[in-house]
Amino acid sequence: MLSIFQRHPRYALFSGVALLVTFLLLASQHAPPPAIVIDTFSPSEELQRRLEYSESAYRKMLRAREDLIQKFGPARDKVLMFPPDNEPWPPYTVWDFVPAAFNCPHPVERIGALGDGGKWVCGLQRVAPKPDCVVYSVGINHESSFEAELLSRTSNCEVWGYDFSVESFGPEVQDDPALLSRAHFAPYGLAGTNSDGEHKMFTLQTLMALNGHEHIDILKIDIESWEFETLASLVKPYLESGEPLPFGQLQLEIHTWGKKFDEFLSWWEMLEAAGLRPFWTEPNLVYINYNRGSDADLAEYSFLNILGDNVFISEREFYRPRGDAHPHPPPLARHD
């Protein structure tokens, strides 16, 4: 007598396939899970990937800036710093054209007091163990909470402070012998040229030469609108030579008193061309509160220098420029 498999071959085939599928399913329950492949990067590669992404996002913002100029200009000299409150109401101020659109690749935190005096810093942990950490602070004005916290949270950083309007650091540093041992003060001003008038004024290059410094890790400047002349004089020779600016990070209060939009934006684009990227900003609300009805003329900005080989953009143990002193995207050109 023929078996059921011989009488019904299609049934036999179906049964075989069913048994095979059942076997495979049972086997898969005991098999190890498939390996997950994750891209791994060295610290240097990961840092560069973050910087490249941030630069790409920043250049996207530059295109949006040009669109905004076209909308409210269209010529640059037709754009107002702070449009009057009338009809039709232009919904912008000068600060909308220069947002802090660069993402710092390290933690950003407030160093110093809330309110007036403190500054936003990117990657303080990068300089905390640095054996030759150098900080310049120009503009003290009796308040040194920024310098005090920076000194207290680092082991080797030293601060050089300059301000011709006061005689010393503020009490936060001056009254603490442990901090004062790493703080150096002189009643000098920062300017675009050296001068020896009523107040001694020096360029940043001259101050660095006097101190024997070739590089500054963190540079804080608050010089009551003289930043325009001072930084223009500082940046110009570096743009002409192609060398990176001699500092890694800049905390700057900008005072736009009497400035026209085209003048301001040309100065700002010079900073961008030199490799400075704003990663944090806030309006000076204390100034607005004390001067009710005035424009928002003052704003705090923090910049990262993305050119060269400073501690904030380079893993020095792993990264070295490959035949190029400027490993990042080329400086920005003005868009006319």
Side-chain angles (χ1 to χ4, degrees), residues 16-58:
V17 171
L19 288 172
L20 178 61
V21 170
T22 301
F23 173 79
L24 292 175
L25 287 174
L26 291 173
S28 67
Q29 294 178 1
H30 301 284
I36 299 176
V37 178
I38 301 176
D39 291 335
T40 58
F41 302 96
S42 69
S44 177
E45 291 171 331
E46 179 60 29
L47 179 56
Q48 294 309 306
R49 282 166 58 89
R50 289 171 179 250
L51 289 166
E52 289 168 4
Y53 182 86
S54 292
E55 180 67 2
S56 175
Y58 195 81

Side-chain angles (χ1 to χ4, degrees), residues 19-336:
L19 288 172
L20 178 61
V21 170
T22 301
F23 173 79
L24 292 175
L25 287 174
L26 291 173
S28 67
Q29 294 178 1
H30 301 284
I36 299 176
V37 178
I38 301 176
D39 291 335
T40 58
F41 302 96
S42 69
S44 177
E45 291 171 331
E46 179 60 29
L47 179 56
Q48 294 309 306
R49 282 166 58 89
R50 289 171 179 250
L51 289 166
E52 289 168 4
Y53 182 86
S54 292
E55 180 67 2
S56 175
Y58 195 81
R59 289 174 181 263
K60 176 177 177 291
M61 180 278 300
L62 292 180
R63 295 189 291 272
R65 174 195 294 170
E66 292 305 313
D67 292 341
L68 199 62
I69 292 172
Q70 288 294 315
K71 180 177 180 180
F72 294 112
R76 291 179 172 219
D77 60 359
K78 300 301 181 184
V79 178
L80 301 177
M81 296 287 281
F82 300 98
D85 184 10
N86 54 25
E87 295 294 338
W89 181 60
Y92 74 87
T93 72
V94 62
W95 307 120
D96 291 301
F97 294 84
V98 289
F102 193 88
N103 294 317
C104 173
H106 313 293
V108 177
E109 57 183 315
R110 180 82 169 187
I111 305 299
L114 297 175
D116 193 46
K119 305 294 178 183
W120 291 96
V121 173
C122 160
L124 181 62
Q125 77 276 14
R126 304 284 290 186
V127 297
K130 193 169 181 280
D132 57 348
C133 169
V134 172
V135 178
Y136 277 33
S137 180
V138 185
I140 304 299
N141 193 26
H142 304 288
E143 211 284 341
S144 294
S145 62
F146 168 76
E147 296 81 2
E149 182 175 348
L150 196 150
L151 287 167
S152 66
R153 292 182 55 188
T154 62
S155 56
N156 298 305
C157 285
E158 297 195 35
V159 176
W160 277 258
Y162 298 101
D163 191 330
F164 61 73
S165 69
V166 297
E167 297 179 352
S168 67
F169 284 104
E172 298 87 351
V173 171
Q174 198 66 26
D175 296 345
D176 190 329
L179 301 184
L180 194 59
S181 65
R182 288 187 283 130
H184 318 273
F185 177 84
Y188 303 153
L190 182 67
T193 57
N194 297 324
S195 64
D196 196 11
E198 180 182 359
H199 305 293
K200 289 186 176 181
M201 309 293 289
F202 296 102
T203 66
L204 184 66
Q205 294 94 324
T206 299
L207 291 175
M208 293 176 68
L210 290 172
N211 298 325
H213 295 147
E214 295 183 355
H215 183 78
I216 299 169
D217 293 294
I218 297 175
L219 172 62
K220 187 208 86 173
I221 297 177
D222 183 357
I223 52 177
E224 307 303 310
S225 84
W226 287 100
E227 63 270 10
F228 290 94
E229 173 190 331
T230 299
L231 287 176
S233 177
L234 167 66
V235 167
K236 184 178 179 181
Y238 289 95
L239 284 176
E240 293 174 346
S241 68
E243 293 297 316
L245 292 169
F247 51 85
Q249 193 168 150
L250 171 66
Q251 279 68 40
L252 177 69
E253 182 165 49
I254 300 176
H255 312 71
T256 62
W257 300 319
K259 291 290 184 292
K260 294 183 178 180
F261 178 82
D262 190 36
E263 175 188 11
F264 170 81
L265 190 58
S266 294
W267 174 83
W268 182 274
E269 289 176 329
M270 175 195 65
L271 302 185
E272 291 175 326
L276 295 180
R277 298 290 183 270
F279 63 84
W280 199 275
T281 186
E282 61 183 12
N284 188 324
L285 298 179
V286 173
Y287 169 83
I288 295 174
N289 183 55
Y290 289 160
N291 297 274
R292 301 296 178 88
S294 67
D295 293 325
D297 296 320
L298 276 58
E300 301 273 1
Y301 275 87
S302 296
F303 297 84
L304 188 67
N305 179 8
I306 67 166
L307 298 181
D309 189 25
N310 67 69
V311 70
F312 302 106
I313 64 169
S314 171
E315 297 287 353
R316 297 190 176 190
E317 303 88 341
F318 305 99
Y319 174 77
R320 288 293 182 272
R322 293 188 290 270
D324 185 354
H326 299 169
H328 299 288
L332 302 178
R334 171 170 171 163
H335 300 276
D336 288 320

